[in-house]
Amino acid sequence: MFEYLNGVLSALSALDWAIVLGYFALSLGIGMFFRRRAGRGMVDYFVSGRSLPWWIVGTSMVATTFAVDTPLAVTGWVRTEGIWKNWFWWNYAVSHVLIVFVFARLWRRAEVITDNELIEMRYSGKPAAFLRGFKAFYFATLFNFIVMGWVISAMAKVMHVFFGFETTFAIIAILAVAVIYTMVGGLWGVVFTDMFQYVVAVLGTAALAYVVVSSPEVGGLGGLWSGVEGLGERVSFLMTPESGTPVRDGFFDSSFFVFLIYISVIWWSSHNSDGGGYIVQRLSSAKNERHAMGGMAWFVLNHYVIRLWPWVVVAVCSLIVFPTATPAGGDDEAMYVVMVKSFLGPGLLGLLFVTFLSAFMSTITTQLNWGASYLVNDIYRRFLKRDGTPSHYVFVSRVCTLLLSVAAGVVAFQIKDIGQAWIYLWAMSAGIGGVLVLRWFWWRINAWSEIAALGTSLITIAAVTLYTKFAGVELTMKHQILVVPASIAVWVAVTYLTAPEPAETLKGFYEKIRPWGWWGPVRRECPGVSPPPLARELISWVLGVSFVFLAMMGIGKLLLGPALEGGVMAALAVLAGALLYWNLRR
């Protein structure tokens, strides 16, 4: 035992351990500081009293999505298939920018604690109650367990490379601190811990990229450009019919088909196409609509432009330095951690380990708090105990947080490939996105529409999974994409075969939310409600998406080449940004 502990302690220097212990102390201190404020009731515990400014709202969302699994999954994709594979999550910029200009203000007007609460505002009767309860349980448990499971699995990989920990010990150790300050401080503790965690994480990954590129093994920016020339399609930002797995080997099995699905389908078909989950929780915690929009915009800028390329640069450098994943036991995702261990010395090594801890903590605490909000607000308080005191609901919330962490730890044992888990999770609810968007714009959508969409998605992905298992073939995108058309066909039919929501329900929703779109019969009953023209918001959306993608790709080209293309894209990004600013000022 003493030899084991000695080996663990010797993995980092005294300075590194001081940085790590300081991080833990600060995290726990923040949670304890907000204990009393979080205990005042569910609005404080889950949405911070609806009082957060935009910069805290946005930074907390960025920190949450900066999970420990992200640089590992990005590295695995770059090493095995190429940079283009990241379009699986880059495409969400389209929906996220739409949230900035359209959905952020609508969610803030709703004044909900969870997005499921909107269901009984938009729909009525037993179908709405069932849908709210089912979605709350499904997303808080099975769905949330997979998310937390892959995050915990990623942190276990980090711990194993750093210290040689067994997975069980790693999972128990890294969950303990996160659970304590999340249980105690609620969302107050989560968002304020996110603030310094985000700063640490961005500085740490940027420092790693700088050290790696400057090293003799890479040879600076010129050496990086030379090394990139020998990596072929793995440094391609876009996929063509001849790239990757070629179309001539079968269109539906080709990399080009996967790329097309990434850029054309995923952003609008996912379960969070209108926000959803922790994004809605943060938007609901904002001071007002303007702070909700500003927070979402700050998140988009950070998520897709500011923090992305240090991960990709390190992943590309790992291919130059270590063409095979032998140093990580054949695990391409773990090669990011190998780069940390190989290139950083005392002080910076501790900073990067704290970066992993920060990335882990910010994500896992959000998932725990958000999952508990579903169980307590949408199930316990809605169906089991409606007359509890604020302190009673806070106590139940803390118990649910603990139980969720235990269950997530168990699921983490089953997840080996983080990237595959990302894609499978999308497929589990891929058919519901269209309904979630249209329920804001079209009065005819009803509770049965959502039930049909989600039910069909779950049944279809279960069926194709069983098919591939018994057929002895790999579950790929050509199977998973079947979820989308199957779900759309069913929910459209169900919408027209079932009655619309009662007029009073639709009128109450329209008067409170003031949505855009096709609300003719309802609008006639609410002559005093007139939302502004949608065209200006859609123009802002197009300009915002153009700015994000041009800035993102331009920076990538400036770093990896060709620099001329990067310069042109950066200039076009500036132009798109200027036009966006002009449109907003109007």
Side-chain angles (χ1 to χ4, degrees):
M1 180 64 178
F2 288 110
E3 291 181 0
Y4 176 75
L5 291 175
N6 184 60
V8 170
L9 293 174
S10 62
L12 296 177
S13 69
L15 176 59
D16 295 327
W17 279 118
I19 294 172
V20 172
L21 293 176
Y23 165 79
F24 279 130
L26 185 58
S27 299
L28 289 171
I30 291 174
M32 297 305 295
F33 179 81
F34 286 105
R35 181 179 184 276
R36 181 172 297 180
R37 186 177 297 185
R40 293 188 301 207
M42 288 182 62
V43 172
D44 273 286
Y45 194 83
F46 289 125
V47 289
S48 298
R50 306 192 197 283
S51 61
L52 298 180
W54 65 269
W55 52 276
I56 292 181
V57 170
T59 303
S60 181
M61 284 193 280
V62 180
T64 296
T65 54
F66 194 160
V68 68
D69 61 288
T70 312
L72 273 66
V74 168
T75 301
W77 279 347
V78 171
R79 290 182 61 87
T80 56
E81 297 190 61
I83 294 175
W84 70 271
K85 189 73 180 282
N86 288 280
W87 279 101
F88 173 76
W89 64 276
W90 290 351
N91 78 86
Y92 285 110
V94 181
S95 59
H96 285 158
V97 175
L98 185 62
I99 294 169
V100 172
F101 297 110
V102 175
F103 293 119
R105 66 185 74 179
L106 301 182
W107 278 115
R108 185 59 184 82
R109 286 174 199 167
E111 295 183 306
V112 294
I113 292 178
T114 66
D115 53 326
N116 292 318
E117 199 173 333
L118 184 82
I119 291 172
E120 290 193 288
M121 187 184 302
R122 174 63 174 80
Y123 312 129
S124 65
K126 292 182 179 179
F130 166 79
L131 179 63
R132 179 179 178 181
F134 177 80
K135 286 185 70 175
F137 183 78
Y138 168 65
F139 283 101
T141 55
L142 177 61
F143 192 92
N144 202 19
F145 293 159
I146 295 176
V147 174
M148 290 192 289
W150 80 47
V151 174
I152 295 169
S153 174
M155 193 63 204
K157 289 184 180 184
V158 172
M159 300 284 276
H160 183 74
V161 174
F162 265 90
F163 308 113
F165 279 174
E166 291 298 324
T167 303
T168 305
F169 183 83
I171 289 173
I172 294 172
I174 60 184
L175 270 176
V177 174
V179 171
I180 291 172
Y181 79 74
T182 307
M183 286 177 59
V184 171
L187 189 65
W188 284 108
V190 172
V191 297
F192 278 91
T193 308
D194 282 346
M195 297 300 295
F196 90 89
Q197 288 176 338
Y198 170 70
V199 173
V200 169
V202 169
L203 291 177
T205 53
L208 174 63
Y210 176 79
V211 170
V212 170
V213 172
S214 304
S215 68
E217 291 86 348
V218 177
L221 203 56
L224 175 60
W225 291 346
S226 299
V228 163
E229 293 177 359
L231 297 178
E233 297 298 336
R234 284 185 288 184
V235 290
S236 294
F237 291 9
L238 303 173
M239 186 54 52
T240 65
E242 293 78 25
S243 305
T245 304
V247 171
R248 63 175 178 270
D249 293 340
F251 175 72
F252 294 109
D253 291 310
S254 69
S255 302
F256 183 62
F257 169 73
V258 174
F259 174 71
L260 290 178
I261 297 301
Y262 285 178
I263 63 174
S264 63
V265 176
I266 288 181
W267 69 269
W268 59 266
S269 65
S270 73
H271 69 281
N272 53 10
S273 55
D274 67 338
Y278 69 86
I279 288 182
V280 171
Q281 185 186 37
R282 298 303 192 278
L283 297 177
S284 298
S285 69
K287 288 182 179 181
N288 52 42
E289 291 178 26
R290 289 179 64 86
H291 282 274
M293 293 175 64
M296 191 67 198
W298 178 238
F299 159 71
V300 170
L301 180 64
N302 276 268
H303 187 56
Y304 296 102
V305 179
I306 295 177
R307 68 173 185 185
L308 161 67
W309 289 105
W311 301 335
V312 177
V313 166
V314 172
V316 171
C317 290
S318 76
L319 281 169
I320 296 172
V321 179
F322 301 109
T324 67
T326 303
D331 188 340
D332 282 289
E333 292 180 339
M335 285 302 297
Y336 188 87
V337 191
V338 170
M339 295 296 286
V340 173
K341 289 277 287 182
S342 300
F343 286 89
L344 299 185
L348 279 179
L349 188 60
L351 176 64
L352 259 294
F353 183 63
V354 167
T355 294
F356 284 121
L357 288 174
S358 298
F360 168 77
M361 296 289 189
S362 59
T363 302
I364 208 71
T365 54
T366 287
Q367 296 299 134
L368 290 172
N369 184 264
W370 162 67
S373 73
Y374 277 21
L375 295 178
V376 178
N377 186 60
D378 297 315
I379 296 178
Y380 184 77
R381 188 171 73 165
R382 170 64 179 83
F383 297 105
L384 301 178
K385 188 175 179 63
R386 297 192 176 192
D387 58 350
T389 63
S391 59
H392 171 76
Y393 289 124
V394 171
F395 171 76
V396 175
S397 301
R398 287 169 172 158
V399 172
C400 288
T401 300
L402 178 62
L403 295 177
L404 286 172
S405 67
V406 174
V410 173
V411 173
F413 284 103
Q414 313 303 319
I415 296 177
K416 306 301 180 185
D417 188 319
I418 298 165
Q420 281 297 105
W422 281 6
I423 297 172
Y424 190 80
L425 197 68
W426 162 78
M428 287 174 62
S429 56
I432 198 172
V435 176
L436 298 183
V437 171
L438 285 175
R439 66 182 177 179
W440 300 93
F441 293 95
W442 187 27
W443 68 277
R444 193 60 178 80
I445 296 291
N446 59 32
W448 290 110
S449 307
E450 276 202 48
I451 292 171
L454 183 57
T456 305
S457 294
L458 293 174
I459 292 171
T460 305
I461 190 62
V464 297
T465 301
L466 289 174
Y467 163 76
T468 56
K469 181 177 181 180
F470 287 111
V473 298
E474 182 182 0
L475 178 67
T476 62
M477 182 57 69
K478 70 178 180 181
H479 304 109
Q480 292 164 318
I481 195 60
L482 294 175
V483 172
V484 177
S487 179
I488 291 175
V490 172
W491 74 252
V492 169
V494 168
T495 299
Y496 283 106
L497 290 173
T498 54
E501 297 296 334
E504 285 304 309
T505 300
L506 295 172
K507 182 179 178 181
F509 177 82
Y510 188 79
E511 289 178 335
K512 181 176 180 62
I513 305 300
R514 307 189 303 279
W516 294 279
W518 302 278
W519 290 86
V522 184
R523 186 180 295 114
R524 287 191 287 271
E525 298 296 321
C526 308
V529 181
S530 56
L534 181 59
R536 187 177 63 182
E537 313 305 329
L538 295 180
I539 292 171
S540 294
W541 174 41
V542 173
L543 290 172
V545 171
S546 301
F547 169 78
V548 169
F549 284 143
L550 285 168
M552 182 184 78
M553 302 282 281
I555 293 172
K557 290 291 185 180
L558 287 171
L559 290 171
L560 299 175
L564 178 60
E565 290 184 17
V568 171
M569 288 181 177
L572 291 174
V574 172
L575 176 61
L579 292 173
L580 174 60
Y581 177 76
W582 174 77
N583 189 57
L584 293 174
R585 291 286 293 176
R586 286 198 306 144

